[in-house]
Amino acid sequence: MKCTRCTEPAEVKLRAHNSAFCRECFVFFFQRRVERAITHEKMFSHDERILVAVSGGKDSLALWDALVLQGYDTIGFHLALGIGGYSLRSREKTEKFARDRGLRLEVHALTEDGLAVPDVIASTRRPACSACGTMKRHHFDRAALELGCAALATGHNLDDEAARLFGNVLHWQTEYLARQRPVMQPRHPKFVRKVKPLYLTGEFESATYAFMRGIDYVVEECPNAAGATQLAYKAVLDDLENRFPGTKLAFVREFTERASAAFALPEDRETTARSCEECGMPSFGALCSFCSLRAEVERRQAERAARAGAPAAPA
Amino acid sequence: MKCTRCTEPAEVKLRAHNSAFCRECFVFFFQRRVERAITHEKMFSHDERILVAVSGGKDSLALWDALVLQGYDTIGFHLALGIGGYSLRSREKTEKFARDRGLRLEVHALTEDGLAVPDVIASTRRPACSACGTMKRHHFDRAALELGCAALATGHNLDDEAARLFGNVLHWQTEYLARQRPVMQPRHPKFVRKVKPLYLTGEFESATYAFMRGIDYVVEECPNAAGATQLAYKAVLDDLENRFPGTKLAFVREFTERASAAFALPEDRETTARSCEECGMPSFGALCSFCSLRAEVERRQAERAARAGAPAAPA
């Protein structure tokens, strides 16, 4: 098997692209694909500062690496979720990546707010991924604003996007379909553009890139991750991809280019007019989703404490 | 297992509907679902004459049976495709069904036009299903017009519609998505409304109905049918349906109710202005698709005969 680009012996084969690459050419190919996604979708420019949300996994670290090599002005942001050893290892890998390369990394630990994901799960009925998503959105938005970034880049890859699109399509969740785009323009002056430069890059590609670039990443999945449904969708898409290479790429790319506009919401639906009374970030109601969640956790923890010691509580 | 409707012992379980039925109640359930699809989607009324396209399979015979029992004014139309024993058996079952019930059936045999499906495949490069589809559309349209019918009803079931929708969605074929509806209004005065009363009825349900109503149908599939792609889509959907009963129903129903409109074509794109110079049916060009196909078959057959040595006609 020879490299499609230089005809040297190839190390990796990409059936979806009908190509094979040697190490050097694969790294070139990967970075060019990321760059093309950024320019084609007008994600950001070299004049802008970008906040990169880095979990410590292959996708976000590969993305950060590629952006840095392409000369973008980046700051890494890691949200430490407090999910036991998994979160500790994720933070360590992220910090080591930044330290080794002399990159600026900001870390916020949910444990310091008393809002580690396990605390939230224990004291509310919110599903873990839902609560975690609320906290991520809040802290990513807040950090991007405070750090003067023009855009927030996340490592969502083609496999993530295809599975999400598949789920939304199976139930024709038209509001979610309207929001599934590689670039989401901000709906409020305090929000920044949200972009997914890897939306057409498969997880096999980002894992290969991380390996070839010597990036040490967290391999384990979040212990709370992906319920049966999402895994079933991924399995179905993997099966189709095996039989018809390029299925995921066509599914997500054609949606973005040809169908997504059909689901666009009217402009006025997209506007968030108010500010959260607690944190000042944009909000639909008096409190933003994050501050509502925090208030709920605090209230339930107080109730529990009262029941544990107070005369009113049952045995 | 008890009947959901009458609590007698149930004979059939429908996981997608979270229900089980005895024989009598299942027949009632099936017919009511067909009737609801007809009225909810405004397919046709009791004042109109309906042409039912009957292949001899479970779906079209079950549909015809249900329509007759509900008092609709129907004529059956069978297109004999000339595909060897499969077509002979299909015609026999269809004719017996009509004869036993005293129903009016019209039959047109493609063999009489020298256009049996195997002839067309042998003399053109058209895929079998594509050529067969062109001929079916032409003859169904023509028969509906000549027999004074207001609508043409076909037996497309939920499994067919889900697999077709899935294929169109995987590649975001927006023009095809725009045309995938349970009711297609005619785009020309010589066309009639096309309706699919079984679009929310699974093939297991129509097979069960046919069995319970004593309908003898052709079990074998068309030997040309369904390539690897379509079968892979059906397998994927069957797999999801097994894990999440009701998946197909939600997929097709929600598309119809919530998403289909997003793909609607502008009115002027839907108009067919001309008439075919050969057959007089509506046409985009000088000849309609059917007459073009026929001309191609005749031209190639003549060429072959010429090459074989004969001065004008084959032996």
Side-chain angles (χ1 to χ4, degrees):
Chain A
M1 194 171 66
K2 287 183 174 176
C3 175
T4 307
R5 195 162 160 259
C6 74
T7 73
E8 290 292 307
E11 269 191 68
V12 58
K13 187 175 179 181
L14 303 179
R15 288 178 71 208
H17 297 280
N18 200 23
S19 299
F21 294 107
C22 69
R23 189 168 292 215
E24 194 182 324
C25 288
F26 178 79
V27 168
F28 174 86
F29 165 83
F30 182 93
Q31 292 185 355
R32 193 179 56 182
R33 279 187 69 76
V34 173
E35 181 64 21
R36 280 189 181 166
I38 292 167
T39 53
H40 185 261
E41 295 293 328
K42 301 185 180 60
M43 291 184 179
F44 46 77
S45 73
H46 280 86
D47 303 328
E48 295 177 309
R49 172 174 286 177
I50 314 306
L51 192 71
V52 187
V54 274
S55 65
K58 62 190 185 314
D59 302 304
S60 55
L61 290 180
L63 170 63
W64 196 10
D65 183 84
L67 294 182
V68 168
L69 287 179
Q70 283 160 48
Y72 286 105
D73 176 15
T74 64
I75 301 175
F77 180 78
H78 178 78
L79 189 67
L81 304 170
I83 307 175
Y86 164 73
S87 287
L88 292 176
R89 289 185 287 277
S90 299
R91 180 174 180 165
E92 274 170 21
K93 303 266 187 193
T94 307
E95 288 178 335
K96 183 166 189 314
F97 176 91
R99 201 166 50 238
D100 289 352
R101 290 158 180 80
L103 302 176
R104 179 173 173 193
L105 174 69
E106 301 287 333
V107 175
H108 181 87
L110 288 177
T111 41
E112 290 168 17
D113 308 335
L115 282 174
V117 172
D119 301 335
V120 176
I121 302 172
S123 51
T124 72
R125 285 179 188 165
R126 291 279 292 276
C129 297
S130 154
C132 188
T134 296
M135 294 191 287
K136 278 181 176 167
R137 277 188 294 276
H138 172 77
H139 284 292
F140 292 171
D141 286 334
R142 185 193 49 72
L145 180 70
E146 289 174 9
L147 296 165
C149 295
L152 168 72
T154 54
H156 292 99
N157 64 35
L158 175 62
D159 296 74
D160 300 327
E161 293 300 297
R164 183 177 160 200
L165 182 57
F166 190 55
N168 288 338
V169 155
L170 274 186
H171 301 92
W172 293 100
Q173 306 272 25
T174 51
E175 296 227 355
Y176 293 156
L177 286 168
R179 296 189 186 283
Q180 184 162 2
R181 294 180 228 148
V183 180
M184 285 293 284
Q185 294 300 337
R187 293 172 283 142
H188 190 284
K190 285 187 175 176
F191 282 148
V192 304
R193 214 177 308 139
K194 290 179 183 170
V195 301
K196 302 173 187 169
L198 303 186
Y199 81 113
L200 296 182
T201 298
E203 63 176 25
F204 173 73
E205 290 160 55
S206 58
T208 305
Y209 180 83
F211 170 76
M212 288 183 174
R213 289 278 304 150
I215 298 170
D216 184 23
Y217 61 88
V218 184
V219 175
E220 65 192 301
E221 296 280 336
C222 172
N224 296 322
T229 311
Q230 200 70 9
L231 287 179
Y233 297 162
K234 285 209 167 184
V236 158
L237 289 166
D238 285 344
D239 183 31
L240 286 172
E241 181 73 29
N242 252 331
R243 293 200 235 181
F244 312 113
T247 296
K248 291 180 195 174
L249 187 59
F251 183 45
V252 173
R253 191 182 53 208
E254 299 306 313
F255 172 74
T256 306
E257 296 195 351
R258 301 206 312 214
S260 166
F263 299 103
L265 296 173
E267 273 304 311
D268 59 338
R269 295 284 309 277
E270 302 228 5
T271 310
T272 313
R274 302 172 67 171
S275 291
C276 173
E277 290 170 7
E278 276 294 323
C279 71
M281 289 296 284
S283 169
F284 282 109
L287 291 184
C288 71
S289 314
F290 172 74
C291 291
S292 299
L293 178 64
R294 174 151 66 181
E296 186 185 347
V297 171
E298 286 167 1
R299 194 180 67 245
R300 291 193 187 256
Q301 283 175 343
E303 285 168 6
R304 190 166 303 175
R307 273 201 306 274
Chain B
M1 195 171 65
K2 286 184 175 177
C3 175
T4 307
R5 197 162 159 258
C6 74
T7 72
E8 290 292 308
E11 270 191 66
V12 59
K13 188 176 179 180
L14 303 179
R15 288 177 71 210
H17 298 279
N18 200 22
S19 299
F21 294 107
C22 70
R23 189 168 292 216
E24 195 182 324
C25 289
F26 177 78
V27 168
F28 174 86
F29 166 84
F30 183 93
Q31 292 184 357
R32 192 179 57 180
R33 278 187 70 76
V34 172
E35 180 65 20
R36 281 188 181 167
I38 293 167
T39 53
H40 185 262
E41 295 293 327
K42 301 184 179 62
M43 292 185 177
F44 46 77
S45 72
H46 280 87
D47 302 327
E48 295 177 308
R49 172 175 286 178
I50 315 306
L51 192 71
V52 187
V54 274
S55 65
K58 62 190 184 317
D59 303 302
S60 55
L61 291 180
L63 170 62
W64 197 9
D65 182 84
L67 294 182
V68 168
L69 287 180
Q70 282 159 49
Y72 287 106
D73 177 14
T74 64
I75 302 176
F77 180 77
H78 178 78
L79 189 67
L81 304 170
I83 307 176
Y86 165 72
S87 286
L88 291 176
R89 288 185 287 277
S90 299
R91 179 173 181 166
E92 275 170 21
K93 302 266 188 193
T94 307
E95 287 178 336
K96 183 165 189 313
F97 176 92
R99 201 166 51 240
D100 289 352
R101 289 158 180 80
L103 302 176
R104 179 173 171 191
L105 173 70
E106 300 286 332
V107 175
H108 181 87
L110 288 177
T111 41
E112 290 168 16
D113 308 334
L115 282 174
V117 172
D119 302 335
V120 176
I121 302 172
S123 51
T124 72
R125 285 178 190 166
R126 291 280 293 275
C129 297
S130 154
C132 188
T134 296
M135 294 192 287
K136 277 180 176 168
R137 278 189 292 277
H138 171 78
H139 284 292
F140 291 171
D141 286 334
R142 185 193 49 69
L145 180 69
E146 288 175 9
L147 296 166
C149 294
L152 167 72
T154 55
H156 292 99
N157 63 37
L158 175 62
D159 296 74
D160 300 327
E161 294 300 298
R164 183 176 159 201
L165 182 57
F166 190 56
N168 288 338
V169 156
L170 274 185
H171 300 92
W172 293 99
Q173 307 272 24
T174 51
E175 296 228 355
Y176 293 155
L177 286 167
R179 297 190 185 285
Q180 183 160 4
R181 294 179 229 149
V183 179
M184 286 292 284
Q185 295 300 337
R187 293 173 285 143
H188 189 285
K190 284 186 174 177
F191 282 147
V192 305
R193 212 178 310 140
K194 291 178 182 171
V195 300
K196 302 173 187 171
L198 303 186
Y199 81 112
L200 296 182
T201 298
E203 64 176 25
F204 172 73
E205 289 160 55
S206 58
T208 304
Y209 180 82
F211 170 76
M212 289 184 173
R213 289 278 303 152
I215 297 170
D216 183 23
Y217 61 87
V218 184
V219 176
E220 65 192 302
E221 294 282 336
C222 172
N224 297 322
T229 311
Q230 201 69 8
L231 288 179
Y233 296 163
K234 285 208 169 186
V236 158
L237 290 166
D238 285 343
D239 183 31
L240 286 172
E241 182 72 29
N242 252 330
R243 292 200 236 181
F244 312 113
T247 296
K248 292 180 195 176
L249 188 58
F251 183 44
V252 172
R253 191 184 52 208
E254 299 306 313
F255 171 74
T256 306
E257 296 195 353
R258 301 206 312 214
S260 166
F263 299 104
L265 296 174
E267 272 305 310
D268 58 336
R269 296 284 309 276
E270 301 227 6
T271 310
T272 313
R274 301 172 66 171
S275 290
C276 173
E277 290 171 5
E278 275 293 324
C279 72
M281 288 297 283
S283 169
F284 282 109
L287 291 184
C288 71
S289 314
F290 172 75
C291 291
S292 299
L293 177 64
R294 173 151 68 181
E296 186 186 345
V297 171
E298 287 168 358
R299 194 180 67 244
R300 292 193 185 256
Q301 284 175 342
E303 284 168 7
R304 189 167 303 174
R307 274 200 306 278

